[in-house]
Amino acid sequence: MMNAEMYWNPVLETLPPERFQQLHLKKFQRIFQWAYEHSKFHHKLYSEAGIEPGDIKTFDDIRRVPKVEKAMMRSVQGKEPYPYGDMLCVPLEQVTEYHQTSGSTGQPVYQPDTWQDWEWLAESWAYILYAHGFRNYDRVFIPFGYNIFIAFWAGHYAAEKIGCEVVPGGVLDTEARILKMQELRATALMATPTYLLRMAEVAKTKLGIDPARDLYITKIATGAEPGGSIPATKKRIEETWGAKLYEHSGATEMGAWNYECVAQCGLHVNEGLFLTEIEDIDTGELITEPNRIGKMVVTAFDRIAQPCVRFDSKDIIQWSPIERCECGRTSRLIKGGVIGRADDITKVKGVLFAPSSVEEVVRGIPELGNEYEIIVARKGEVDDITLRIELLPEHKERINAVQEELARQLRVKTNLRYDLEFCEYGTLPRYEVKSKRFKDLRKGG
Ligand SMILES: [Zn+2]
């Protein structure tokens, strides 16, 4: 008999910080040795850096281990053992799962997993859903088809693992999904912020269904985009759905390494399964103090087919100043989720610019629709930044006031001036899973 309470794990979730360090050292030694001994790629990488398993004696020694970047993975893949290449740490016969990254930042990376890895992934997701308050009385609707991308596969199995009833809403279209949720009185949902807003729009405009009033959803697990941690977007989704929105983040090659608990005060690193380091973007120095942004380096302790050892995620995060969460977990909290990607943080007119800061402003203005598009282009010698937004039809006469307020907030929050372009409601692109709202036309030219 399965015990759902095991995902509130007093051994792994309430250790004092020094015990976490001991645990991390031991677990790191084990996965480092595994990678060193079983993959030619890792063996070469570490040998060239002059480091071998016996050299990792203290927690600080972990910092000497070279990082792995996505580009390095691409360069070994597509070769024997096909298609995973030299990173593979198990015989091909032991691989039971194939997935790949979405390729939004270039050529997709292949992700092989063994059955043990697959169970580990579901396990890591079980911690996420349990922390979100998912329980065995929930009926969980998953409005996505499962395919070569890893998203939602693990969510499905994890929900089953903690005893929920799972409704796979894959092949249905958006309207049919909403009607099915209503018919079955689904109480929980998993979706990206983009799709949650999209579904709500379709429910209201096409079906006359108000998700907060006419559906039964009380909790939503989200991820894959920054939206779940952007306060204005979170508020908009929670109000629209009449439900609590909980975030987590992760990626195909890392696993899902953090989660929000019901106290909603940041994202807990799942320190039982992962090591998360934050490094200064320019100097690479380790950041331990709160509120300073840096690049995340992650290690998954228990994934064996294609291990994730000091993976340079390029995700931008910061530690939270909260030392003790009221939920009782002692694992470290990050503040505001993944703020952006190092690749997306760019300089515009000499100012450091993160596209997510614009989302916070747009979604905080009630007269504006959910969609927006940011286009950075070079006009002569200067950068030009255009923001395209949609005014809700019922607020048409307020366009001047909205424009003024938008320009003011953007100036305050991002230190930049924008060309504001109001588009007819419904004309900006709608996205089903992940959005592409930031376009930098300066690149490559
Ligand atoms: Zn908590």
Side-chain angles (χ1 to χ4, degrees):
M1 182 63 199
M2 189 166 46
N3 176 16
E5 291 301 320
M6 68 189 171
Y7 298 105
W8 166 246
N9 187 328
V11 178
L12 286 183
E13 296 189 283
T14 58
L15 289 177
E18 64 280 6
R19 289 286 314 283
F20 268 126
Q21 281 208 355
Q22 286 167 19
L23 178 83
H24 288 166
L25 174 61
K26 234 159 80 187
K27 288 196 162 206
F28 189 92
Q29 285 166 333
R30 201 180 58 186
I31 192 69
F32 178 78
Q33 180 162 5
W34 171 264
Y36 183 87
E37 288 175 357
H38 292 86
S39 121
K40 284 184 195 156
F41 166 84
H42 283 99
H43 197 279
K44 183 162 174 270
L45 179 71
Y46 301 145
S47 301
E48 282 173 4
I51 190 160
E52 55 178 46
D55 297 334
I56 314 291
K57 295 192 178 73
T58 68
F59 184 73
D60 292 334
D61 289 335
I62 294 173
R63 305 269 312 146
R64 295 173 47 209
V65 174
K67 286 173 281 189
V68 173
E69 287 184 33
K70 220 176 198 171
M72 296 156 86
M73 300 175 76
R74 286 193 190 103
S75 70
V76 297
Q77 293 193 333
K79 298 177 186 134
E80 294 297 327
Y82 195 81
Y84 304 113
D86 282 345
M87 283 188 96
L88 191 66
C89 285
V90 295
L92 262 181
E93 296 76 26
Q94 286 183 25
V95 175
T96 59
E97 308 292 330
Y98 168 86
H99 295 95
Q100 64 176 60
T101 62
S102 64
S104 55
T105 55
Q107 171 75 19
V109 169
Y110 305 136
Q111 181 65 47
D113 281 305
T114 64
W115 184 249
Q116 183 189 328
D117 291 332
W118 196 234
E119 289 192 318
W120 163 82
L121 200 73
E123 178 84 0
S124 66
W125 264 79
Y127 279 98
I128 294 172
L129 296 179
Y130 193 81
H132 292 352
F134 283 53
R135 294 293 182 274
N136 56 10
Y137 44 77
D138 279 309
R139 182 170 293 142
V140 184
F141 192 85
I142 307 182
F144 286 96
Y146 313 149
N147 51 38
I148 50 174
F149 304 126
I150 211 158
F152 304 107
W153 279 102
H156 178 118
Y157 290 122
E160 290 183 344
K161 226 167 148 62
I162 58 179
C164 301
E165 178 184 338
V166 183
V167 185
V171 288
L172 308 175
D173 65 17
T174 299
E175 287 177 43
R177 285 169 181 161
I178 294 159
L179 293 170
K180 189 56 77 180
M181 266 190 274
Q182 187 178 40
E183 176 195 336
L184 298 177
R185 301 188 183 174
T187 57
L189 179 63
M190 293 179 202
T192 59
T194 288
Y195 193 52
L196 287 165
L197 292 167
R198 173 75 186 138
M199 270 194 291
E201 191 184 31
V202 171
K204 282 182 184 158
T205 56
K206 300 251 173 79
L207 301 169
I209 288 176
D210 174 352
R213 191 193 58 207
D214 305 325
L215 300 180
Y216 302 82
I217 302 293
T218 59
K219 50 185 91 90
I220 305 172
T222 194
E225 295 176 315
S229 281
I230 295 175
T233 299
K234 189 181 185 104
K235 183 161 172 266
R236 195 172 268 221
I237 293 172
E238 290 194 329
E239 284 173 1
T240 309
W241 282 87
K244 287 284 180 192
L245 182 73
Y246 301 106
E247 210 205 357
H248 80 277
S249 36
T252 313
E253 61 279 37
M254 307 175 219
W257 56 277
N258 69 26
Y259 48 76
E260 193 172 8
C261 68
V262 290
Q264 290 187 307
C265 53
L267 295 163
H268 285 278
V269 174
N270 188 342
E271 296 199 272
L273 304 183
F274 296 90
L275 172 66
T276 298
E277 304 164 68
I278 307 180
E279 291 187 341
D280 186 276
I281 298 168
D282 296 322
T283 65
E285 167 210 354
L286 185 70
I287 295 175
T288 53
E289 68 271 35
N291 300 325
R292 204 174 124 197
I293 68 164
K295 212 166 52 157
M296 182 190 66
V297 177
V298 71
T299 299
F301 295 127
D302 306 291
R303 203 180 202 177
I304 60 166
Q306 183 169 279
C308 171
V309 183
R310 298 204 80 223
F311 180 71
D312 186 354
S313 73
K314 313 240 191 270
D315 283 337
I316 304 293
I317 59 170
Q318 59 191 324
W319 293 120
S320 163
I322 298 169
E323 280 185 7
R324 189 73 195 247
C325 182
E326 58 189 73
C327 75
R329 292 177 179 85
T330 52
S331 51
R332 244 190 130 166
L333 287 158
I334 62 165
K335 178 181 163 188
V338 173
I339 300 161
R341 297 192 37 84
D343 306 335
D344 281 348
I345 305 269
T346 176
K347 278 197 173 167
V348 178
K349 298 178 189 177
V351 176
L352 211 55
F353 173 75
S356 57
S357 57
V358 172
E359 175 166 329
E360 167 71 7
V361 172
V362 171
R363 299 270 170 83
I365 295 179
E367 290 89 347
L368 293 177
N370 296 319
E371 297 303 330
Y372 63 92
E373 207 166 61
I374 308 162
I375 301 151
V376 180
R378 183 154 287 154
K379 280 196 180 155
E381 285 301 294
V382 287
D383 294 333
D384 192 72
I385 183 160
T386 302
L387 175 63
R388 307 175 74 204
I389 55 276
E390 292 179 351
L391 192 64
L392 294 175
E394 61 268 34
H395 298 296
K396 257 193 170 141
E397 76 291 350
R398 303 208 54 233
I399 186 162
N400 290 335
V402 172
Q403 180 159 5
E404 222 169 89
E405 179 59 17
L406 182 58
R408 187 189 67 78
Q409 287 198 29
L410 287 168
R411 211 163 42 237
V412 172
K413 297 235 168 91
T414 69
N415 285 314
L416 287 166
R417 274 176 198 283
Y418 299 72
D419 293 330
L420 298 176
E421 200 179 295
F422 283 89
C423 304
E424 178 115 14
Y425 185 72
T427 58
L428 284 175
R430 264 60 180 163
Y431 301 91
E432 296 277 293
V433 186
K434 278 198 200 188
S435 58
K436 266 205 161 136
R437 299 192 175 96
F438 177 60
K439 293 180 180 143
D440 193 344
L441 305 179
R442 300 169 304 175
K443 284 178 182 164

